[in-house]
Amino acid sequence: MSGILEGKRILVTGVLMESSIAFHTAKVAQEQGAEVILTAFPRPTLTERIAKKLPKPATVFELDVTNDEHLARVEETVRKELGGLDGVVHSIGFAPQDALGGNFLNTPFESVSTAMHVSAFSLKSLTMACLPLMENGGSVVGLTFDAQFAWPQYDWMGPAKAALEATNRYLARDLGAKNIRCNLISAGPIGSMAAKSIPGFGELAKVWDERSPLAWDMADPEPAGRGVVALLSDFFPKTTGEIVHVDGGVHIMGA
């Protein structure tokens, strides 16, 4: 029996640790029949080491999504390896330390600008770099952390994720004519590299322990990875501009 991504070519960003959603997205994608290529920044050797734990070999190339020269090389690099693309996974987010951990009112604009560039604008940059490779349409899937709410300790990453969610909607609007779908997975907290960079992350994670209708395991990124793979597949052919929650149901809870 073939998988739901049989024959598809997928680019995955953000594989830094085996505990990351991006790693499990790449793993499930391969298990479902996809050819996968990975990008890495700032340490390609780290991603290459983690990639060896995937079911199948995957090429890794360096990509800083804030570097125009790196973005300009994406088409040539990917076309040489895979010939084209059917899907792109945006799993990229960063904010300087002074933009997190309760410092919201004192964060300088330079740090906010960095958070917005890396975490939100890069969805557009990455998608446009990959656009020539998706000649027959495709699916772009990003990862957010529900930006409807003000979360403890999350500070300027909250507005950055809100900008990411808005960017996704505008990409969906403008790329629909090319048969390219753009969606996001809103995942619950995972003990990834990104999470560990947030001061007081445990306080944020406690929300899930107390409020999640479904038991939530911060050590299990696979449910979110499966959600990404589902949106990459042809099982959502007319869904775009959407945010699918894989958060145990916390987003539905009131008081």
Side-chain angles (χ1 to χ4, degrees):
M1 182 177 177
S2 61
I4 62 172
L5 294 186
E6 193 68 38
K8 293 195 179 294
R9 302 154 299 176
I10 308 295
L11 181 146
V12 180
T13 65
V15 175
L16 292 175
M17 300 171 67
E18 196 173 352
S19 61
S20 69
I21 294 171
F23 174 85
H24 284 267
T25 296
K27 176 177 177 287
V28 174
Q30 286 187 340
E31 291 169 349
Q32 292 296 320
E35 291 184 83
V36 171
I37 189 168
L38 306 176
T39 75
F41 189 79
R43 293 171 57 193
T45 54
L46 175 61
T47 300
E48 287 167 358
R49 189 160 64 247
I50 299 299
K52 291 177 181 176
K53 299 182 180 182
L54 290 170
K56 302 174 187 175
T59 297
V60 177
F61 70 96
E62 185 178 24
L63 175 61
D64 173 2
V65 288
T66 68
N67 185 317
D68 289 341
E69 292 181 5
H70 283 207
L71 289 164
R73 294 199 295 262
V74 169
E75 181 183 359
E76 181 182 358
T77 302
V78 175
R79 199 174 292 283
K80 182 179 177 182
E81 290 291 327
L82 299 181
L85 284 175
D86 303 290
V88 176
V89 178
H90 180 279
S91 181
I92 300 168
F94 172 77
Q97 285 294 298
D98 61 356
L100 299 163
N103 196 47
F104 185 85
L105 297 178
N106 300 309
T107 304
F109 177 72
E110 290 76 15
S111 296
V112 174
S113 175
T114 297
M116 291 289 180
H117 192 175
V118 178
S119 307
F121 185 78
S122 65
L123 179 63
K124 193 277 292 190
S125 302
L126 177 66
T127 300
M128 294 307 292
C130 294
L131 187 61
L133 296 157
M134 294 189 282
E135 296 163 334
N136 299 313
S139 176
V140 178
V141 184
L143 288 160
T144 188
F145 190 74
D146 203 329
Q148 298 178 84
F149 306 105
W151 297 104
Q153 310 298 328
Y154 208 50
D155 292 354
W156 281 100
M157 276 301 293
K161 289 297 188 184
L164 175 74
E165 292 175 10
T167 300
N168 176 65
R169 289 188 287 270
Y170 280 91
L171 284 171
R173 181 196 70 179
D174 289 352
L175 295 179
K178 298 181 182 296
N179 195 31
I180 293 173
R181 297 170 285 123
C182 301
N183 296 289
L184 299 176
I185 291 289
S186 181
I190 297 294
S192 63
M193 177 108 42
K196 291 174 181 177
S197 70
I198 301 173
F201 178 76
E203 182 184 345
L204 179 60
K206 271 200 316 186
V207 175
W208 266 256
D209 292 336
E210 297 167 357
R211 297 167 64 85
S212 181
L214 295 172
W216 185 256
D217 183 358
M218 284 208 314
D220 184 11
E222 187 162 314
R226 286 179 174 271
V228 174
V229 167
L231 287 173
L232 290 169
S233 79
D234 294 330
F235 280 82
F236 288 86
K238 299 300 178 185
T239 297
T240 196
E242 187 59 87
I243 301 174
V244 177
H245 289 79
V246 182
D247 68 347
V250 166
H251 73 284
I252 67 167
M253 299 300 288

